[in-house]
Amino acid sequence: MNLDVQSLRTFSRLARSGAEQAAGSLATMTGFDAHVAVTKVEMATRSDVEREFRERDLVTVHVDFSGAIDGRTVLAFDRERAASLVDALVPDESADPGSDLATSGLKELGNIMLGGFIDGWADFLGEGIEFTTPTYVELDAGRSLEDVTTDSEFANGEFGADIDAGAEFGSGLDTEHVLAFRNHLETPDEEAGFYIYMLPTTDSVGTIVDAAGDGEETIPVESFTSFSQMITEGAGQASEDLTAMTGIDTTVDVSRLSFVPVEGVPMELTDDARRGVVLEFTGTPSGYIAILFDHESAESVADALMPGMDADPEMQKSAIQEIGNIVTSGFLDGWADSLGTTIDISPPRYVDDIASAIVDPLVAELARTQDYAFLIDSAIVTPDGAITCDIYALPDEQELRTAFDQLTPGPN
């Protein structure tokens, strides 16, 4: 099954349109106004999706769908936001989203919101898509999406005659990587906690590609998967290099490849203050990379590299630049080895600002030649979470496509 950039653009537009319909349904049912802040097409692992649910303390409503395309759609809420919705849907009911009436209210909200989301895809494909009644799910440490699948109506064949009784969500998905359509909804008064994930089967992605394609040269999905693995390995090497430099034990927390409208890239980053470096890399691929720490993490790694220099801002700055330079080399050297190319990096430029403002100039450069961006997002952390190093890479689209071509499996 192949993908092309035009298909990714179509995916993004359809996902955004469906999310806007879902936001409208939310306003009608609850009075909560919401707008779609970011829509991403994301190559992730199932464990990445599950970890996000748990770390953000999200409660979720799942709907399986079948027909023109098959898969699962998940509506996720921050727990506090879910409590507010429960109060709007079921006045005077317990604020606990897990109570029976509250769960029923959230399932009804999911039915309306996700129904509108899925209908948009059916209209585009010109064929019907049916979906199950919603299932309320809280993923705890002992439960996975696979467990939810086994419990679902879709898996148990209770959906109707049009669904094979033996079918399971996930049977058409790669066991490690999934192509996820992720939407983030916000309310005017605060950053909200509404997320819509669409996880189609591999065959269904192929169906959408066939409908969206315009003859543009396609890229095997295996190339995206290979590049995602390359990113994970690069983050692992960067983590090892950071540990070797500072003596601080670190590991890779998350590593993702996303396709997002260029203007949406800063919205993916926090507005909290960050210190670090920005570098440009050239070769195949070329682009920009930011290595960012929160202030406490920056001071800790700088002190570990140059003990006793915490009172000298210039020495701290120099230490952070050196750390950023080494982390970047570790992150990108593996790419060059895998692709058989040379990737050069510029001298590190020190930055100290909110994260979204740090990437704004990089995004502006990319926006001169492309409307969408491939965003590479990795995080390196200490076991106790006291130190976090965020890595954001923005490759040039054309150069990245060249890299994908070099990862494309040859004929047998």
Side-chain angles (χ1 to χ4, degrees), residues 87-106:
D87 187 60
L89 288 165
V90 191
D92 302 322
E93 179 54 29
S94 166
D96 177 12
S99 65
D100 289 343
L101 280 177
T103 298
S104 177
L106 289 177

Side-chain angles (χ1 to χ4, degrees), residues 301-313:
V301 295
D303 185 61
L305 183 65
M306 297 182 178
M309 296 298 180
D310 53 307
D312 186 334

Side-chain angles (χ1 to χ4, degrees), residues 198-218:
M198 182 179 178
L199 308 173
T201 62
T202 300
D203 288 345
S204 295
V205 173
T207 298
I208 303 169
V209 169
D210 290 342
D214 63 352
E216 182 178 334
E217 184 178 354
T218 59

Side-chain angles (χ1 to χ4, degrees), residues 362-394:
L362 314 183
V363 169
E365 284 297 314
L366 288 179
R368 297 167 65 178
T369 57
Q370 58 193 70
D371 297 326
Y372 285 81
F374 286 94
L375 172 64
I376 294 162
D377 171 13
S378 298
I380 297 171
V381 301
T382 53
D384 60 2
I387 295 176
T388 299
C389 171
D390 291 315
I391 303 173
Y392 298 100
L394 290 163

Side-chain angles (χ1 to χ4, degrees), residues 30-62:
T30 67
F32 282 96
D33 289 328
H35 70 279
V36 182
V38 178
T39 296
K40 292 201 305 183
V41 181
E42 182 174 284
M43 182 65 75
T45 65
R46 290 191 188 190
S47 60
D48 286 339
V49 176
E50 292 171 1
R51 180 168 54 243
E52 184 160 23
F53 288 170
R54 295 189 181 102
E55 289 180 352
R56 292 180 181 273
D57 194 19
L58 301 178
V59 297
T60 64
V61 175
H62 295 233

